[in-house]
Amino acid sequence: MSKDLRDEVLRLLREDEVFRLAVIGLLGISDVQSSLRRLVDAVGGLVKNQSVMMEVLNKVLEAVQRLTENEEKLWENQNKLWEENNKIWQEIKSLREDQERLWQEIRALRESQEKAWREIERLWQELKTFREEQEKRWQENEKRWEMNFKMWEQNWKLWQENLSRWEEQFKFNNWMMSALREIRDSIGGSYEYYTAHWIREWLSTKGVSCDVKVNVTIPVDGFKEIDVVCYDPLVVGEATIKVSSVEEAERELKKLLDNAKTAEKFFGKKAIALVLAVESAPEQVAEYLRKRAGELSIVLVLGREYS
């Protein structure tokens, strides 16, 4: 093909659309164009499908996110459950430890109880042995009592023989006791009356009138005799002829304090004064009596002091 012809063809292809289409038709380019259109349509459909897929994918991602959030909440709840479970196990562990301590205490108690039972059994054995020995002794004593009974029968005859002699001796003893009582009353009794008189006068100086009694027996803890007592107001006195030593002084003071407690218990009132009357005492004992009487708030009536 000549150059001029080629240039003309190219010009026509560029400028003449009819010529160009005719050439394309001749060359089968129309089929290509149709294919391109179909391809464009397919690509358009694919793009539309891709948009749908993207929407579906977004929904799937949202569902996955919700599942992730739910899973996180599930793990949080699971962690809480594990914490609660751990607390329960700790409490169970503490209960087991307490139960173990309790069992140890029970075992110790059982051991102590077993020791106690063994000790009781030992004591019963000792008691049994003691009873057997005691039975042997009673049997021996029974033989001795039989022998003694025979001896008592013999002695009874002797007692009957001596009975008359004892009756005479009893008469003599009664006379002697009566004489001793008279001597005692003549020596000590008068000093008790003197002490009662002194207390009566002493109270009168304080404007108190009182009937002072001598040798009053009060039934408290048995029977106790008080040398001098005034009932109302309550005054308790003790009278003695002689105090020779500090020991005797303490005995007289204690006797007075004991008598005062007895009187207070019997009359149900507090004594307003305690009086100790001593007819004679050595100088050192008298000084001791003054000191102790002052300490015990006791009124001391002291007669003669001697060296």
Side-chain angles (χ1 to χ4, degrees):
M1 177 180 294
S2 63
K3 182 178 179 299
D4 295 332
L5 181 60
R6 186 173 55 251
D7 292 337
E8 183 64 22
V9 171
L10 293 173
R11 185 185 66 76
L12 292 173
L13 289 172
R14 287 193 300 269
E15 297 177 0
D16 192 343
E17 184 177 0
V18 175
F19 178 76
R20 186 171 55 253
L21 292 174
V23 172
I24 291 172
L26 290 173
L27 295 176
I29 295 175
S30 59
D31 296 332
V32 174
Q33 191 175 17
S34 177
S35 296
L36 287 174
R37 289 192 186 95
R38 289 195 300 270
L39 179 61
V40 170
D41 293 337
V43 170
L46 182 62
V47 170
K48 291 180 180 179
N49 292 332
Q50 187 177 8
S51 177
V52 173
M53 290 179 63
M54 288 299 294
E55 291 178 0
V56 172
L57 182 61
N58 288 332
K59 292 180 180 180
V60 170
L61 289 175
E62 291 176 357
V64 170
Q65 185 177 2
R66 286 195 298 271
L67 287 174
T68 303
E69 292 175 354
N70 292 332
E71 185 178 6
E72 289 178 355
K73 292 180 180 179
L74 181 63
W75 277 107
E76 290 177 358
N77 294 331
Q78 185 69 24
N79 289 333
K80 291 181 181 179
L81 288 174
W82 277 109
E83 291 176 358
E84 293 294 330
N85 193 28
N86 188 39
K87 290 180 181 179
I88 292 172
W89 277 109
Q90 291 295 329
E91 293 178 358
I92 292 173
K93 181 180 178 182
S94 178
L95 287 174
R96 286 179 177 174
E97 292 175 352
D98 293 340
Q99 187 177 14
E100 182 64 24
R101 285 195 296 270
L102 180 61
W103 276 110
Q104 291 177 356
E105 293 177 358
I106 291 173
R107 284 195 293 269
L109 181 61
R110 286 179 177 174
E111 291 175 357
S112 300
Q113 190 174 13
E114 289 176 358
K115 291 180 181 178
W117 278 112
R118 288 196 294 270
E119 183 67 17
I120 291 172
E121 184 177 1
R122 185 183 65 80
L123 291 174
W124 273 110
Q125 290 296 331
E126 293 180 357
L127 181 60
K128 181 180 178 182
T129 303
F130 174 77
R131 286 178 175 175
E132 291 174 353
E133 294 177 353
Q134 193 72 10
E135 183 65 24
K136 292 179 181 179
R137 291 176 184 174
W138 276 108
Q139 291 175 358
E140 294 175 357
N141 288 333
E142 186 174 359
K143 294 179 181 179
R144 292 174 183 173
W145 277 107
E146 290 176 357
M147 295 175 62
N148 289 334
F149 184 73
K150 294 178 180 179
M151 294 176 63
W152 276 105
E153 287 180 345
Q154 295 175 359
N155 289 333
W156 176 248
K157 294 178 181 179
L158 296 174
W159 277 104
Q160 287 178 337
E161 293 175 359
N162 293 327
L163 182 59
S164 59
R165 298 175 185 175
W166 279 109
E167 289 177 352
E168 294 177 359
Q169 186 66 36
F170 286 151
K171 291 178 182 179
F172 175 78
N173 288 343
N174 289 333
W175 174 83
M176 181 63 72
M177 290 299 296
S178 178
L180 290 174
R181 289 192 191 95
E182 290 179 0
I183 293 172
R184 185 200 65 181
D185 294 340
S186 63
I187 294 175
S190 60
Y191 194 65
E192 293 167 354
Y193 283 101
Y194 166 78
T195 303
H197 178 73
W198 186 93
I199 292 174
R200 189 180 299 109
E201 294 298 323
W202 177 66
L203 290 174
S204 66
T205 61
K206 299 179 179 297
V208 178
S209 176
C210 182
D211 183 14
V212 184
K213 305 293 183 181
V214 176
N215 295 329
V216 177
T217 300
I218 296 178
V220 174
D221 299 329
F223 293 92
K224 185 169 289 187
E225 184 176 293
I226 300 177
D227 290 347
V228 183
V229 63
C230 174
Y231 299 155
D232 189 20
L234 182 59
V235 178
V236 180
E238 181 68 22
T240 183
I241 296 296
K242 183 178 181 180
V243 177
S244 303
S245 64
V246 171
E247 289 76 12
E248 290 183 8
E250 281 295 331
R251 283 198 295 271
E252 294 298 327
L253 290 168
K254 184 177 183 305
K255 183 178 179 182
L256 175 59
L257 293 173
D258 291 342
N259 289 342
K261 290 180 181 179
T262 299
E264 289 174 348
K265 184 176 180 180
F266 181 76
F267 291 105
K269 65 176 80 173
K270 187 74 174 176
I272 66 167
L274 305 181
V275 179
L276 175 61
V278 179
E279 196 278 331
S280 64
E283 291 179 356
Q284 293 180 350
V285 177
E287 185 62 29
Y288 180 81
L289 281 170
R290 291 191 186 94
K291 178 182 177 183
R292 291 289 290 143
E295 293 173 352
L296 299 172
S297 300
I298 293 175
V299 178
L300 178 63
V301 181
L302 188 59
R304 180 173 60 88
E305 298 181 32
Y306 59 91
S307 56

